[in-house]
């Protein structure tokens, strides 16, 4: 059973992202439009679980099957969308995981969620402090319950997405994905 650990921001996280990006980009550069550092480790000053979240961005759903094939050649195992529309998840070749890899079409809900939250937090340091404190509290409250930890963050994240102007139907889809 894995223990949920949230640590203070590590200034080495952007470099860790670049290491993952440099391994993945050559395999997808002709079909992907970018590789984005997302999640809490992408926000300076934010406490996080020390696992880098990486999104490979493709122009549309058309490129998803080929990108899955290319990532498999690097040792990534496709695990599906885990209920998040427009976000394909992968198990990486490193165990324990030092990063989470996702594949997202440019217009998909998964990428919109990742980028909206990341960009909002980068621009609002007061929310960074509040979110970091919430994550630490939830890690203490749910040290072996990832579902409880995620549910505990949902209201905070929905508020950010609502303030950022995510359409109501997209907010409803995110709420459904985070409801047991």
């Amino acid at each position: 059973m894995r223990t949920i650990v949230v640590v203070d921001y590590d200034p080495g996280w952007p470099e860790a992202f670049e290491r993952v990006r440099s391994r993945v980009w050559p395999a997808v550069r002709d079909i992907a439009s970018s590789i984005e550092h997302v999640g809490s480790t992408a926000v300076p000053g934010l406490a996080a679980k020390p696992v880098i979240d990486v999104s490979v961005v493709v122009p549309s759903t058309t490129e998803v099957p080929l990108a899955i094939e290319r990532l498999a050649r690097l040792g990534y195992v496709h695990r599906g969308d885990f209920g998040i529309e427009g976000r394909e998840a992968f198990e990486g070749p490193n165990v324990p995981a030092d990063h989470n890899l996702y594949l997202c079409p440019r217009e998909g809900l998964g990428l919109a969620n990742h980028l909206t939250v990341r960009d909002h937090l980068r621009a609002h340091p007061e929310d960074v402090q509040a979110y970091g404190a919430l994550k630490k509290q939830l890690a203490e409250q749910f040290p072996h319950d990832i579902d409880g930890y995620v549910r505990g963050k949902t209201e905070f994240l929905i508020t950010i997405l609502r303030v950022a102007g995510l359409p109501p139907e997209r907010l409803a889809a995110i709420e459904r994905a985070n409801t047991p």
Side-chain angles (χ1 to χ4, degrees), residues 36-39 42-43 111-125 128 160 164:
E36 298 284 341
H37 186 184
V38 296
V43 178
L111 184 65
N113 182 3
H114 281 163
L115 296 181
T116 301
V117 170
R118 180 197 69 188
D119 295 348
H120 174 89
L121 289 170
R122 284 179 174 175
H124 296 88
V128 169
I160 287 175

Side-chain angles (χ1 to χ4, degrees), residues 2 17 20 24 28 32 34-41 49 51-58 64 67-68 71 76-82 84-92 97 99-105 110-111 114 146 150 153:
R2 290 184 11 209
F17 162 73
V20 174
V24 172
V28 296
S34 66
I35 297 180
E36 298 284 341
H37 186 184
V38 296
S40 295
T41 62
K49 292 181 288 158
V51 178
I52 308 300
D53 287 330
V54 179
S55 286
V56 175
V57 182
V58 293
V64 168
I68 289 171
L71 293 168
Y76 290 96
V77 178
H78 181 227
R79 295 294 185 204
D81 68 8
F82 293 117
I84 306 292
E85 172 197 333
R87 188 195 78 176
E88 299 298 320
F90 292 81
E91 183 177 305
H99 67 280
N100 294 317
L101 187 79
Y102 304 104
L103 174 63
C104 300
L111 184 65
H114 281 163
I146 192 64
V150 169
K153 299 185 316 176

Side-chain angles (χ1 to χ4, degrees), residues 9-19 37 41 52:
Y9 179 78
D10 182 338
W13 287 338
E15 185 178 307
F17 162 73
E18 285 300 328
R19 284 193 300 273
H37 186 184
T41 62
I52 308 300

